[in-house]
Coordinates of all heavy atoms in Angstrom, one line a residue:
M1 N 205.5 49.0 112.9 CA 206.8 49.4 112.0 C 208.1 49.1 112.8 O 209.0 48.6 112.2 CB 206.6 50.8 111.5 CG 207.7 51.2 110.6 SD 207.6 50.2 109.1 CE 209.0 50.9 108.1
M2 N 208.1 49.6 114.0 CA 209.3 49.4 114.8 C 209.6 47.9 115.2 O 210.8 47.5 115.3 CB 209.1 50.2 116.1 CG 209.2 51.7 115.9 SD 210.8 52.3 115.2 CE 211.9 51.9 116.4
I3 N 208.6 47.1 115.1 CA 208.8 45.7 115.3 C 209.6 45.1 114.2 O 210.5 44.2 114.4 CB 207.4 45.0 115.6 CG1 206.7 45.5 116.9 CG2 207.6 43.4 115.7 CD1 207.5 45.4 118.2
V4 N 209.2 45.4 113.0 CA 209.9 45.0 111.8 C 211.3 45.5 111.7 O 212.2 44.7 111.4 CB 209.1 45.4 110.5 CG1 209.8 45.0 109.3 CG2 207.7 44.9 110.5
V5 N 211.4 46.7 112.1 CA 212.9 47.2 112.2 C 213.7 46.4 113.2 O 214.8 46.1 113.0 CB 212.8 48.7 112.6 CG1 214.2 49.2 112.8 CG2 212.2 49.5 111.4
A6 N 213.1 46.2 114.4 CA 213.8 45.4 115.4 C 214.1 44.0 114.9 O 215.2 43.5 115.2 CB 213.0 45.3 116.7
L7 N 213.2 43.4 114.2 CA 213.4 42.1 113.6 C 214.6 42.0 112.6 O 215.5 41.2 112.7 CB 212.2 41.4 113.0 CG 212.3 40.0 112.5 CD1 212.5 39.0 113.6 CD2 211.0 39.7 111.7
I8 N 214.5 43.0 111.7 CA 215.6 43.1 110.6 C 216.9 43.5 111.3 O 218.0 42.9 110.9 CB 215.2 44.0 109.5 CG1 214.0 43.5 108.8 CG2 216.3 44.4 108.6 CD1 213.4 44.5 107.8
G9 N 216.9 44.3 112.3 CA 218.1 44.7 113.0 C 218.7 43.5 113.7 O 219.9 43.3 113.7
G10 N 218.0 42.7 114.4 CA 218.4 41.5 115.1 C 219.0 40.5 114.1 O 219.9 39.8 114.4
L11 N 218.3 40.4 112.9 CA 218.8 39.5 111.9 C 220.2 39.9 111.5 O 221.2 39.1 111.3 CB 217.9 39.5 110.7 CG 218.3 38.6 109.5 CD1 218.2 37.1 110.0 CD2 217.4 38.8 108.4
I12 N 220.4 41.2 111.2 CA 221.7 41.8 110.8 C 222.7 41.6 111.9 O 223.9 41.1 111.6 CB 221.6 43.3 110.5 CG1 220.7 43.4 109.2 CG2 222.9 43.9 110.2 CD1 220.4 44.8 108.8
L13 N 222.4 41.8 113.2 CA 223.2 41.6 114.3 C 223.7 40.1 114.3 O 224.8 39.8 114.6 CB 222.6 42.1 115.5 CG 222.6 43.5 115.8 CD1 221.8 43.8 117.2 CD2 223.9 44.2 115.8
G14 N 222.8 39.2 114.2 CA 223.1 37.8 114.3 C 224.0 37.4 113.1 O 225.0 36.6 113.3
I15 N 223.8 37.9 111.9 CA 224.7 37.6 110.7 C 226.1 38.2 111.1 O 227.1 37.5 110.9 CB 224.1 38.2 109.5 CG1 222.8 37.4 109.1 CG2 225.1 38.2 108.4 CD1 222.0 38.1 107.9
L16 N 226.2 39.4 111.6 CA 227.5 40.0 111.9 C 228.2 39.2 113.0 O 229.4 38.8 112.9 CB 227.3 41.4 112.4 CG 227.0 42.4 111.3 CD1 226.7 43.8 112.0 CD2 228.1 42.5 110.3
F17 N 227.4 38.8 114.0 CA 228.0 38.1 115.2 C 228.6 36.7 114.8 O 229.7 36.4 115.0 CB 227.1 38.0 116.3 CG 227.7 37.5 117.6 CD1 228.4 38.3 118.5 CD2 227.6 36.1 117.8 CE1 228.9 37.7 119.6 CE2 228.2 35.5 119.0 CZ 228.9 36.4 119.9
F18 N 227.7 35.9 114.3 CA 228.0 34.5 113.9 C 228.9 34.4 112.6 O 229.7 33.5 112.5 CB 226.7 33.7 113.8 CG 226.1 33.5 115.2 CD1 224.9 34.2 115.5 CD2 226.7 32.8 116.2 CE1 224.4 34.1 116.7 CE2 226.1 32.7 117.5 CZ 224.9 33.3 117.7
G19 N 228.7 35.3 111.7 CA 229.6 35.4 110.5 C 231.0 35.8 111.0 O 231.9 35.2 110.5
G20 N 231.0 36.7 111.9 CA 232.3 37.2 112.4 C 233.0 36.0 113.1 O 234.3 35.9 113.1
L21 N 232.3 35.3 113.9 CA 232.8 34.1 114.7 C 233.4 33.1 113.7 O 234.5 32.6 113.9 CB 231.7 33.5 115.5 CG 232.1 32.3 116.3 CD1 233.2 32.5 117.2 CD2 230.9 31.7 117.0
W22 N 232.6 32.8 112.6 CA 233.1 31.8 111.7 C 234.4 32.2 111.0 O 235.3 31.5 110.8 CB 232.0 31.6 110.7 CG 232.3 30.5 109.7 CD1 232.4 29.2 109.8 CD2 232.6 30.8 108.3 NE1 232.8 28.6 108.6 CE2 233.0 29.5 107.7 CE3 232.7 31.9 107.5 CZ2 233.3 29.3 106.4 CZ3 233.1 31.7 106.1 CH2 233.3 30.5 105.6
L23 N 234.4 33.6 110.6 CA 235.6 34.1 110.0 C 236.7 34.1 110.9 O 237.9 33.8 110.6 CB 235.3 35.5 109.5 CG 234.4 35.6 108.2 CD1 234.1 37.1 107.9 CD2 235.0 34.9 107.0
T24 N 236.6 34.4 112.2 CA 237.6 34.4 113.2 C 238.2 33.0 113.4 O 239.4 32.9 113.4 CB 237.1 34.9 114.5 OG1 236.6 36.2 114.4 CG2 238.1 34.9 115.6
V25 N 237.3 32.1 113.5 CA 237.8 30.6 113.6 C 238.7 30.2 112.4 O 239.7 29.7 112.5 CB 236.7 29.7 113.9 CG1 237.1 28.2 113.8 CG2 236.0 30.0 115.2
K26 N 238.1 30.6 111.2 CA 238.9 30.3 109.9 C 240.3 31.0 109.9 O 241.3 30.4 109.6 CB 238.1 30.7 108.7 CG 237.0 29.9 108.5 CD 237.4 28.5 108.1 CE 236.5 28.0 107.0 NZ 237.0 26.7 106.7
R27 N 240.3 32.2 110.5 CA 241.6 33.0 110.5 C 242.6 32.5 111.4 O 243.8 32.5 111.2 CB 241.2 34.4 110.7 CG 242.4 35.4 110.8 CD 243.0 35.5 109.5 NE 242.5 36.8 108.8 CZ 243.3 37.5 108.2 NH1 244.5 37.3 108.2 NH2 242.8 38.7 107.6
T28 N 242.0 32.0 112.6 CA 242.9 31.6 113.6 C 243.7 30.2 113.4 O 244.6 29.9 114.0 CB 242.2 31.5 115.0 OG1 241.2 30.6 114.9 CG2 241.7 32.8 115.5
L29 N 243.1 29.5 112.5 CA 243.6 28.1 112.2 C 245.1 28.2 111.7 O 245.9 27.3 112.0 CB 242.8 27.4 111.1 CG 241.5 27.0 111.6 CD1 240.6 26.4 110.4 CD2 241.5 26.0 112.7
G30 N 245.5 29.3 111.0 CA 246.9 29.4 110.5 C 247.6 30.6 111.2 O 248.7 30.9 110.7
S31 N 247.2 31.1 112.2 CA 247.7 32.3 112.9 C 248.6 31.9 114.1 O 248.1 31.0 114.9 CB 246.7 33.2 113.2 OG 247.2 34.3 114.0
P32 N 249.6 32.5 114.3 CA 250.5 32.3 115.5 C 249.8 33.1 116.7 O 250.2 32.8 117.9 CB 251.8 32.8 115.2 CG 251.6 33.8 114.2 CD 250.4 33.3 113.4
Y33 N 248.9 33.9 116.5 CA 248.2 34.8 117.6 C 246.8 34.4 117.8 O 245.9 35.2 117.7 CB 248.3 36.2 117.2 CG 249.7 36.7 116.9 CD1 250.2 37.0 115.5 CD2 250.7 36.9 117.9 CE1 251.4 37.3 115.3 CE2 252.0 37.3 117.5 CZ 252.3 37.5 116.3 OH 253.6 37.9 115.9
V34 N 246.5 33.1 118.0 CA 245.2 32.6 118.3 C 244.4 33.4 119.3 O 243.3 33.8 119.2 CB 245.1 31.1 118.4 CG1 243.8 30.5 118.8 CG2 245.8 30.4 117.3
A35 N 245.1 33.5 120.5 CA 244.4 34.1 121.6 C 244.0 35.5 121.4 O 243.0 36.0 121.8 CB 245.3 34.0 122.9
L36 N 244.9 36.3 120.7 CA 244.7 37.7 120.4 C 243.5 37.8 119.4 O 242.6 38.6 119.6 CB 245.9 38.3 119.8 CG 245.9 39.8 119.5 CD1 245.7 40.5 120.8 CD2 247.2 40.2 118.9
W37 N 243.5 36.9 118.4 CA 242.4 37.0 117.4 C 241.0 36.7 118.2 O 240.0 37.4 117.9 CB 242.6 35.9 116.3 CG 243.4 36.4 115.2 CD1 244.7 36.2 114.8 CD2 242.9 37.3 114.2 NE1 245.0 36.8 113.7 CE2 244.0 37.5 113.3 CE3 241.7 38.0 113.9 CZ2 243.9 38.4 112.2 CZ3 241.6 38.8 112.8 CH2 242.6 39.0 111.9
L38 N 241.0 35.6 119.0 CA 239.8 35.3 119.6 C 239.3 36.2 120.6 O 238.1 36.6 120.6 CB 240.0 33.9 120.3 CG 240.1 32.7 119.3 CD1 240.4 31.4 120.1 CD2 238.9 32.5 118.5
L39 N 240.2 36.8 121.4 CA 239.8 37.9 122.4 C 239.3 39.1 121.7 O 238.3 39.7 122.1 CB 241.0 38.1 123.4 CG 240.7 39.2 124.4 CD1 239.6 38.6 125.4 CD2 242.0 39.5 125.2
G40 N 240.1 39.6 120.7 CA 239.7 40.8 120.1 C 238.4 40.7 119.4 O 237.6 41.5 119.4
S41 N 238.3 39.6 118.6 CA 237.0 39.4 117.9 C 235.8 39.3 118.9 O 234.8 39.8 118.6 CB 237.1 38.1 117.0 OG 235.9 37.8 116.5
S42 N 236.0 38.5 119.9 CA 235.0 38.4 120.9 C 234.5 39.7 121.5 O 233.2 40.0 121.6 CB 235.4 37.4 122.0 OG 234.3 37.4 123.0
L43 N 235.5 40.5 121.8 CA 235.1 41.9 122.4 C 234.4 42.8 121.4 O 233.4 43.4 121.7 CB 236.4 42.5 122.9 CG 237.0 41.9 124.2 CD1 238.3 42.6 124.5 CD2 236.1 42.0 125.4
I44 N 234.9 42.8 120.2 CA 234.3 43.6 119.2 C 232.9 43.1 118.8 O 231.9 43.9 118.7 CB 235.2 43.7 117.9 CG1 236.5 44.4 118.2 CG2 234.5 44.3 116.7 CD1 237.5 44.3 117.1
R45 N 232.7 41.9 118.5 CA 231.4 41.3 118.2 C 230.4 41.5 119.3 O 229.3 41.9 119.1 CB 231.5 39.8 117.9 CG 232.2 39.5 116.5 CD 232.2 38.1 116.2 NE 233.1 37.3 117.1 CZ 232.7 36.4 117.9 NH1 231.5 36.1 118.0 NH2 233.6 35.8 118.7
T46 N 230.8 41.3 120.6 CA 229.9 41.4 121.7 C 229.5 42.9 121.9 O 228.4 43.2 122.2 CB 230.5 40.8 123.0 OG1 230.9 39.5 122.8 CG2 229.6 41.0 124.1
G47 N 230.5 43.7 121.8 CA 230.2 45.2 121.9 C 229.2 45.7 120.8 O 228.3 46.4 121.1
I48 N 229.4 45.2 119.6 CA 228.5 45.6 118.6 C 227.1 45.1 118.8 O 226.1 45.8 118.7 CB 229.0 45.1 117.2 CG1 230.2 45.9 116.7 CG2 228.0 45.2 116.1 CD1 231.0 45.3 115.6
V49 N 227.0 43.8 119.2 CA 225.7 43.2 119.5 C 225.0 43.9 120.6 O 223.8 44.2 120.5 CB 225.8 41.7 119.6 CG1 224.5 41.1 120.1 CG2 226.1 41.1 118.4
L50 N 225.6 44.1 121.7 CA 225.0 44.7 122.9 C 224.6 46.2 122.6 O 223.5 46.6 123.0 CB 225.9 44.7 124.1 CG 226.2 43.3 124.7 CD1 227.2 43.4 125.9 CD2 224.8 42.6 125.2
T51 N 225.4 46.9 121.9 CA 225.0 48.3 121.5 C 223.8 48.2 120.6 O 222.9 49.1 120.8 CB 226.2 48.9 120.8 OG1 227.4 49.0 121.7 CG2 225.9 50.4 120.5
G52 N 223.8 47.3 119.6 CA 222.7 47.2 118.7 C 221.4 46.8 119.4 O 220.3 47.5 119.2
F53 N 221.4 46.0 120.4 CA 220.2 45.6 121.1 C 219.8 46.7 122.0 O 218.6 47.0 122.1 CB 220.5 44.4 122.0 CG 220.5 43.0 121.4 CD1 221.2 42.0 121.8 CD2 219.6 42.8 120.3 CE1 221.2 40.8 121.2 CE2 219.6 41.6 119.7 CZ 220.4 40.5 120.1
Y54 N 220.7 47.5 122.5 CA 220.4 48.6 123.3 C 219.6 49.7 122.5 O 218.5 50.2 123.0 CB 221.6 49.2 124.0 CG 221.3 50.5 124.7 CD1 220.8 50.5 126.0 CD2 221.6 51.8 124.2 CE1 220.6 51.6 126.7 CE2 221.4 53.0 124.9 CZ 220.8 52.8 126.1 OH 220.6 54.0 126.9
F55 N 220.0 50.0 121.3 CA 219.4 51.0 120.5 C 218.1 50.5 119.9 O 217.2 51.3 119.6 CB 220.4 51.6 119.5 CG 221.3 52.5 120.1 CD1 222.7 52.1 120.1 CD2 221.0 53.7 120.6 CE1 223.6 53.0 120.6 CE2 221.9 54.6 121.1 CZ 223.3 54.3 121.2
M56 N 218.1 49.2 119.6 CA 216.8 48.7 119.0 C 215.7 48.5 119.9 O 214.5 48.7 119.7 CB 217.1 47.4 118.3 CG 217.7 47.5 117.0 SD 217.8 45.9 116.0 CE 219.0 45.2 117.0
A57 N 216.0 48.2 121.2 CA 215.0 48.0 122.3 C 214.3 49.3 122.7 O 213.1 49.3 122.8 CB 215.6 47.3 123.5
Q58 N 215.1 50.3 122.8 CA 214.5 51.6 123.2 C 213.6 51.6 124.4 O 212.6 52.1 124.4 CB 213.8 52.3 122.0 CG 214.7 52.6 120.8 CD 214.0 53.2 119.6 OE1 212.8 53.4 119.7 NE2 214.7 53.5 118.6
G59 N 214.0 50.7 125.3 CA 213.2 50.6 126.6 C 212.0 49.7 126.5 O 211.2 49.6 127.4
S60 N 211.8 49.0 125.4 CA 210.6 48.1 125.2 C 211.0 46.7 125.2 O 211.9 46.2 124.4 CB 210.0 48.4 123.7 OG 209.0 47.5 123.5
L61 N 210.5 45.9 126.1 CA 210.7 44.5 126.1 C 210.3 43.7 124.9 O 211.0 42.9 124.4 CB 210.1 43.9 127.4 CG 210.3 42.4 127.7 CD1 211.8 42.1 127.9 CD2 209.5 41.9 128.8
L62 N 209.2 44.2 124.3 CA 208.7 43.5 123.0 C 209.8 43.7 122.0 O 210.1 42.7 121.2 CB 207.4 44.0 122.7 CG 206.8 43.5 121.4 CD1 206.6 42.0 121.6 CD2 205.5 44.2 121.0
R63 N 210.3 44.9 121.7 CA 211.3 45.1 120.7 C 212.6 44.4 121.0 O 213.2 43.8 120.0 CB 211.5 46.6 120.5 CG 210.4 47.3 119.8 CD 210.8 48.7 119.4 NE 211.0 49.6 120.6 CZ 210.2 50.6 120.9 NH1 209.2 51.0 120.1 NH2 210.4 51.3 122.0
L64 N 212.9 44.3 122.2 CA 214.1 43.5 122.6 C 213.9 41.9 122.2 O 214.8 41.4 121.6 CB 214.5 43.7 124.1 CG 215.7 42.9 124.5 CD1 217.0 43.3 123.8 CD2 215.8 43.0 126.0
L65 N 212.8 41.4 122.6 CA 212.5 40.1 122.3 C 212.5 39.7 120.8 O 213.0 38.7 120.3 CB 211.2 39.6 123.0 CG 211.3 39.6 124.5 CD1 209.9 39.2 125.1 CD2 212.3 38.5 125.0
V66 N 211.9 40.7 120.1 CA 211.8 40.6 118.7 C 213.2 40.6 118.0 O 213.5 39.8 117.1 CB 210.8 41.6 118.0 CG1 210.9 41.6 116.5 CG2 209.4 41.3 118.4
S67 N 214.1 41.5 118.5 CA 215.4 41.6 117.9 C 216.3 40.4 118.3 O 217.0 40.0 117.5 CB 216.1 42.9 118.4 OG 216.2 43.0 119.8
V68 N 216.0 39.8 119.5 CA 216.7 38.6 119.9 C 216.2 37.5 118.9 O 217.0 36.6 118.5 CB 216.4 38.3 121.3 CG1 216.9 36.8 121.7 CG2 217.2 39.3 122.2
A69 N 214.9 37.4 118.6 CA 214.5 36.4 117.7 C 215.1 36.6 116.3 O 215.5 35.6 115.6 CB 212.9 36.5 117.5
G70 N 215.3 37.8 115.8 CA 216.0 38.0 114.6 C 217.4 37.6 114.7 O 218.0 37.1 113.7
F71 N 218.0 37.9 115.8 CA 219.4 37.5 116.1 C 219.6 35.9 115.9 O 220.5 35.4 115.3 CB 219.8 37.8 117.5 CG 221.3 37.6 117.9 CD1 222.3 38.3 117.5 CD2 221.6 36.5 118.7 CE1 223.6 38.1 117.8 CE2 222.9 36.3 119.1 CZ 223.9 37.1 118.6
I72 N 218.7 35.2 116.5 CA 218.7 33.7 116.4 C 218.4 33.3 115.0 O 219.1 32.3 114.5 CB 217.6 33.1 117.4 CG1 218.1 33.4 118.8 CG2 217.4 31.7 117.1 CD1 217.0 33.0 119.8
A73 N 217.5 34.0 114.2 CA 217.3 33.6 112.8 C 218.6 33.9 112.1 O 219.0 33.2 111.1 CB 216.2 34.5 112.3
G74 N 219.4 34.9 112.4 CA 220.7 35.2 111.8 C 221.7 34.1 112.0 O 222.4 33.7 111.1
R75 N 221.6 33.6 113.2 CA 222.5 32.4 113.5 C 222.1 31.2 112.7 O 223.0 30.5 112.1 CB 222.3 32.0 115.0 CG 223.2 30.9 115.4 CD 222.7 30.3 116.8 NE 223.5 29.1 117.2 CZ 223.3 27.9 116.8 NH1 222.2 27.6 116.1 NH2 224.0 26.9 117.3
L76 N 220.8 30.9 112.5 CA 220.4 29.8 111.7 C 220.8 30.0 110.2 O 221.2 29.1 109.6 CB 218.9 29.6 111.8 CG 218.4 29.2 113.2 CD1 216.9 29.1 113.3 CD2 219.1 27.9 113.7
L77 N 220.7 31.2 109.8 CA 221.1 31.6 108.4 C 222.6 31.3 108.1 O 222.9 30.7 107.2 CB 220.7 32.9 108.1 CG 221.0 33.5 106.6 CD1 220.2 32.7 105.6 CD2 220.8 34.9 106.5
I78 N 223.4 31.8 109.1 CA 224.8 31.6 108.9 C 225.2 30.2 109.1 O 226.1 29.7 108.3 CB 225.5 32.6 110.1 CG1 225.5 34.0 109.7 CG2 227.0 32.1 110.2 CD1 226.2 34.4 108.4
L79 N 224.6 29.5 110.0 CA 224.8 28.1 110.1 C 224.5 27.4 108.8 O 225.4 26.5 108.3 CB 223.9 27.5 111.2 CG 224.2 26.0 111.6 CD1 225.6 25.8 112.1 CD2 223.1 25.6 112.6
R80 N 223.5 27.6 108.1 CA 223.1 27.0 106.8 C 224.1 27.4 105.8 O 224.6 26.5 105.0 CB 221.7 27.4 106.5 CG 221.4 26.9 105.0 CD 220.0 27.1 104.7 NE 219.2 26.0 105.2 CZ 217.9 25.9 105.2 NH1 217.2 26.8 104.7 NH2 217.4 24.8 105.7
L81 N 224.5 28.6 105.7 CA 225.4 29.1 104.7 C 226.8 28.5 104.9 O 227.4 28.1 103.9 CB 225.5 30.7 104.6 CG 224.3 31.4 104.1 CD1 224.5 32.9 104.3 CD2 224.0 31.0 102.7
T82 N 227.3 28.5 106.1 CA 228.6 27.9 106.3 C 228.7 26.4 106.1 O 229.7 26.0 105.7 CB 229.1 28.3 107.8 OG1 228.2 27.8 108.7 CG2 229.3 29.7 107.9
R83 N 227.6 25.7 106.4 CA 227.6 24.3 106.0 C 227.7 24.1 104.6 O 228.4 23.2 104.1 CB 226.3 23.7 106.5 CG 226.3 23.3 107.9 CD 225.0 22.6 108.3 NE 224.9 22.3 109.7 CZ 223.8 22.0 110.3 NH1 222.6 22.0 109.7 NH2 223.8 21.8 111.6
Q84 N 227.0 24.9 103.8 CA 227.1 24.8 102.3 C 228.5 25.1 101.8 O 229.1 24.4 100.9 CB 226.1 25.7 101.6 CG 224.7 25.3 101.8 CD 223.7 26.2 101.2 OE1 224.1 27.3 100.8 NE2 222.4 25.9 101.3
I85 N 229.1 26.1 102.4 CA 230.5 26.5 102.0 C 231.4 25.4 102.3 O 232.3 24.9 101.6 CB 230.9 27.8 102.6 CG1 230.1 29.0 102.0 CG2 232.4 28.1 102.4 CD1 230.2 30.3 102.7
E86 N 231.3 24.9 103.5 CA 232.2 23.8 104.0 C 232.1 22.5 103.1 O 233.0 21.8 102.8 CB 232.0 23.4 105.4 CG 232.3 24.5 106.5 CD 233.8 24.8 106.5 OE1 234.6 23.8 106.3 OE2 234.1 26.0 106.7
Q87 N 230.8 22.1 102.8 CA 230.6 21.0 101.9 C 231.2 21.2 100.6 O 231.8 20.2 100.0 CB 229.0 20.7 101.8 CG 228.5 20.1 103.1 CD 227.0 19.9 103.0 OE1 226.4 20.4 102.0 NE2 226.5 19.3 104.0
K88 N 231.1 22.4 100.0 CA 231.7 22.6 98.7 C 233.2 22.5 98.8 O 233.8 22.0 97.8 CB 231.2 24.0 98.2 CG 229.8 24.1 97.7 CD 229.4 25.5 97.2 CE 228.0 25.5 96.9 NZ 227.6 26.8 96.4
Q89 N 233.8 23.0 99.8 CA 235.3 22.9 100.0 C 235.7 21.5 100.2 O 236.7 21.2 99.6 CB 235.8 23.7 101.1 CG 235.6 25.2 101.0 CD 236.0 26.1 102.2 OE1 236.2 25.5 103.2 NE2 236.2 27.3 101.9
V90 N 235.0 20.7 100.9 CA 235.3 19.3 101.0 C 235.3 18.5 99.6 O 236.1 17.7 99.3 CB 234.4 18.5 102.0 CG1 234.6 17.1 102.0 CG2 234.7 19.1 103.4
I91 N 234.3 18.8 98.9 CA 234.0 18.2 97.6 C 235.2 18.6 96.7 O 235.7 17.8 95.9 CB 232.7 18.6 97.0 CG1 231.5 17.9 97.8 CG2 232.6 18.2 95.5 CD1 230.2 18.4 97.3
V92 N 235.5 19.9 96.7 CA 236.7 20.4 95.8 C 238.0 19.7 96.2 O 238.8 19.2 95.4 CB 236.8 21.9 95.8 CG1 238.1 22.4 95.3 CG2 235.6 22.5 95.2
T93 N 238.3 19.6 97.5 CA 239.5 19.1 98.0 C 239.6 17.5 97.7 O 240.6 17.0 97.5 CB 239.8 19.3 99.5 OG1 238.8 18.9 100.2 CG2 240.1 20.8 99.6
E94 N 238.4 16.9 97.8 CA 238.5 15.5 97.5 C 238.6 15.1 96.1 O 239.2 14.1 95.8 CB 237.1 14.8 98.0 CG 237.1 14.7 99.6 CD 235.7 14.1 100.0 OE1 234.8 13.9 99.2 OE2 235.6 13.9 101.2
S95 N 238.2 16.0 95.2 CA 238.2 15.7 93.8 C 239.5 16.2 93.2 O 239.9 15.7 92.1 CB 237.0 16.2 93.0 OG 237.1 17.7 93.2
S96 N 240.2 17.1 93.8 CA 241.5 17.5 93.3 C 242.7 16.6 93.6 O 242.7 16.1 94.6 CB 241.8 19.0 93.8 OG 242.0 18.9 95.1
P97 N 243.5 16.3 92.6 CA 244.6 15.5 92.8 C 245.7 16.1 93.7 O 245.9 17.3 93.6 CB 245.2 15.2 91.4 CG 244.8 16.4 90.6 CD 243.5 16.8 91.2
L98 N 246.3 15.3 94.5 CA 247.4 15.9 95.4 C 248.7 15.8 94.8 O 249.4 15.1 94.4 CB 247.4 15.1 96.8 CG 246.2 15.4 97.6 CD1 246.2 14.5 98.8 CD2 246.1 16.9 97.9

């Protein structure tokens, strides 16, 4: 049961980390405070992920590895979702008159 919790927790951490990264990059494109956004976001995202891994592992290497696998799965999920969003935005901007 704890293995499933670690996998789902890792998936959630991956979604938060890489989704937050994508949102940060989108936000910094029009911001005059790019370095502040990137540094702050990086510190917050990394802190959340490391804390999450610490509590999910509970001293077990197996639970840590399973949560890392979930984290990677979260990355793949965000990668797929953001590609779809970007493709839809390109299609909308290409078809709209300027």
Side-chain angles (χ1 to χ4, degrees):
M1 182 66 178
M2 289 303 292
I3 299 298
V4 174
V5 171
L7 182 67
I8 293 171
L11 181 68
I12 291 169
L13 287 175
I15 290 170
L16 287 173
F17 186 86
F18 292 105
L21 175 61
W22 182 72
L23 289 173
T24 300
V25 170
K26 288 293 214 180
R27 179 67 99 134
T28 59
L29 291 176
S31 174
Y33 306 107
V34 174
L36 186 62
W37 272 105
L38 292 176
L39 180 63
S41 171
S42 177
L43 290 174
I44 291 170
R45 288 181 293 110
T46 302
I48 290 171
V49 168
L50 289 177
T51 303
F53 281 150
Y54 176 78
F55 283 112
M56 279 188 292
Q58 297 177 358
S60 170
L61 180 61
L62 178 62
R63 284 191 292 247
L64 178 62
L65 293 176
V66 169
S67 61
V68 169
F71 183 80
I72 293 168
R75 178 192 181 274
L76 296 174
L77 180 65
I78 289 297
L79 185 62
R80 173 172 276 176
L81 290 174
T82 55
R83 277 187 188 160
Q84 290 175 355
I85 291 171
E86 294 293 328
Q87 286 176 351
K88 286 180 184 178
Q89 288 178 349
V90 168
I91 291 171
V92 168
T93 56
E94 286 179 354
S95 65
S96 64
L98 294 176

